[in-house]
Amino acid sequence: MNKKIFTNDKIFIAGSTGMVGSAIYRSLAKRGYGNKENGGCFFTPTRKELNLLDKNSVNLWFKTNKPTVTILAAAKVGGIFANKSNPTEFLLENIKIQTNVIESAWKNGVRRLLFLGSSCIYPKFAPQPLKEEYLLSGALEKTNELYAIAKITGIKLCQALREQYKFDAISLMPTNLYGPKDNYHPNDSHVMAALISKFCYAKKESKSFVECWGTGSPLREFLHVDDLGEAATFCLEHWDPFDQNSPVDINGEPLNFLNVGTGKDISISELANKVAKILDFKGNIIWNSDKPDGTPKKQLNIERILALGWSPKISLDEGIKNTIKNFQKMNFDI
């Protein structure tokens, strides 16, 4: 395959301080991208330095800095409680961020753009494992419907720009992510971060039980964020939807977005027991069924990205152990 990005590219990572953006930065830097000695560089402005919600500021930033590659990893994210409590912000802010960055990149001559979506774009009761074709084939899960609509809008904008204007925009749909720089807020975090935080504190404080949300029955798939970083770099380097050997849908049409995951899922109750075992937590696990479960099962079909040559490398046990160590170091100085 011919390389699609180069070491002398000027790479803008929107959301570079977050979990996903920082993982992509690590992966790219490891391969020599952004090296000033080779003529390349990274642009990693903070939220204070560049307000992605301000269209004029974003457009001016692109005009001034002229990045050649843009990675859109910035988003307003959160778990079930956060999505349910702030639906307006999850829709408005994400649509603004996406539209401002993607449109400005297109209008200011960016050569290649990667948009990061989410597996929540798929219908609640779509067949499992979820194939890319299932997008817009049914109703979404209500607890994160508006976030999903925003992400679908981003995918479709990238697709429209590629088809109408030949703008080289690609999208990846990662499954549930975890790892360094995850959000461990007690109400706003996703399930893996919530469980790691709860069990780490329970172990440290010698608690007799941990209360977990829902029934524990939903099935979820988990990908370490460093594996996503590797997938992003791989696709930026090698994947062009218009290439003859690139993945196509069931109708033979080029796919503009690909699933990224492990292809394996686990029940939330099994996951809780796994985290407890790794931490040697001896207390009880209590399930609060008054709290929402969300989608009953969400497992991605990753055949298309596997066929391109990428595959995940970090096992769930290894990933959880490393993430627990990182959490304890950051919070308990262990």
Side-chain angles (χ1 to χ4, degrees):
M1 296 182 188
N2 293 325
K3 279 273 187 94
K4 312 296 181 186
I5 58 171
F6 310 97
T7 54
N8 64 351
D9 271 315
K10 297 178 178 180
I11 302 174
F12 169 39
I13 304 178
S16 61
T17 59
M19 178 171 66
V20 172
S22 60
I24 295 173
Y25 174 87
R26 288 194 297 273
S27 176
L28 287 167
K30 186 170 66 177
R31 283 169 175 73
Y33 295 103
N35 189 330
K36 291 182 179 179
E37 292 181 2
N38 296 327
C41 70
F42 283 116
F43 295 116
T44 56
T46 64
R47 191 174 301 179
K48 288 183 178 180
E49 293 168 334
L50 176 60
N51 180 8
L52 298 178
L53 295 169
D54 186 327
K55 180 179 180 179
N56 292 331
S57 295
V58 173
N59 192 52
L60 179 60
W61 187 92
F62 271 90
K63 279 185 178 180
T64 304
N65 292 283
K66 296 179 173 56
T68 55
V69 174
T70 292
I71 298 158
L72 179 45
K76 181 176 178 64
V77 297
I80 290 176
F81 181 82
N83 274 271
K84 192 174 180 181
S85 303
N86 304 284
T88 303
E89 287 74 19
F90 272 88
L91 181 63
L92 271 179
E93 291 189 23
N94 282 303
I95 285 181
K96 285 180 181 178
I97 290 168
Q98 293 165 190
T99 305
N100 292 344
V101 172
I102 295 169
E103 185 178 11
S104 292
W106 164 54
K107 287 186 173 179
N108 288 282
V110 166
R111 194 185 75 254
R112 172 146 259 236
L113 180 140
L114 171 63
F115 171 65
L116 275 298
S118 166
S119 60
C120 72
I121 62 170
Y122 292 110
K124 181 174 183 177
F125 296 113
Q128 302 279 337
L130 297 159
K131 292 184 177 181
E132 288 88 350
E133 292 92 337
Y134 299 160
L135 180 65
L136 298 177
S137 65
L140 298 164
E141 159 62 37
K142 285 293 181 183
T143 55
N144 60 8
E145 182 181 47
L146 295 186
Y147 176 72
I149 287 171
K151 287 297 183 182
I152 292 169
T153 302
I155 298 168
K156 289 299 181 181
L157 177 56
C158 288
Q159 181 179 343
L161 286 167
R162 171 175 285 277
E163 292 175 353
Q164 185 176 354
Y165 295 107
K166 303 297 185 284
F167 178 55
D168 188 7
I170 57 175
S171 303
L172 295 179
M173 299 302 112
T175 189
N176 298 285
L177 299 169
Y178 70 100
K181 295 200 171 185
D182 205 344
N183 171 21
Y184 294 98
H185 188 280
N187 291 326
D188 294 347
S189 59
H190 289 103
V191 60
M192 180 71 85
L195 291 176
I196 286 175
S197 176
K198 285 182 178 184
F199 281 100
C200 281
Y201 277 106
K203 173 72 175 179
K204 184 174 185 289
E205 297 166 8
S206 301
K207 289 186 175 180
S208 60
F209 72 93
V210 168
E211 180 182 288
C212 299
W213 283 21
T215 63
S217 62
L219 295 162
R220 292 290 182 272
E221 176 182 6
F222 296 94
L223 180 74
H224 193 280
V225 73
D226 283 340
D227 269 337
L228 174 62
E230 294 296 301
T233 297
F234 178 87
C235 288
L236 280 166
E237 288 180 331
H238 301 299
W239 176 41
D240 181 344
F242 287 167
D243 280 353
Q244 187 176 358
N245 297 321
S246 285
V248 295
D249 63 19
I250 54 174
N251 298 313
E253 296 296 323
L255 281 166
N256 290 279
F257 69 96
L258 296 176
N259 292 335
V260 186
T262 63
K264 303 173 184 177
D265 61 10
I266 183 174
S267 74
I268 301 302
S269 61
E270 287 179 280
L271 180 64
N273 285 321
K274 187 181 285 289
V275 174
K277 183 178 180 181
I278 290 172
L279 279 163
D280 195 29
F281 175 74
K282 303 295 188 183
N284 295 319
I285 300 174
I286 299 173
W287 294 95
N288 184 350
S289 58
D290 291 333
K291 300 294 185 180
D293 268 338
T295 302
K297 179 179 172 72
K298 192 168 66 172
Q299 178 188 0
L300 294 182
N301 180 308
I302 60 168
E303 291 175 356
R304 269 61 179 262
I305 196 168
L306 291 177
L308 278 177
W310 173 86
S311 61
K313 300 293 189 294
I314 302 172
S315 71
L316 185 59
D317 282 8
E318 178 190 356
I320 292 174
K321 287 175 184 176
N322 290 340
T323 305
I324 286 174
K325 287 180 182 177
N326 180 265
F327 177 85
Q328 290 175 327
K329 182 179 180 180
M330 296 297 294
N331 294 275
F332 307 150
D333 197 27
I334 293 177

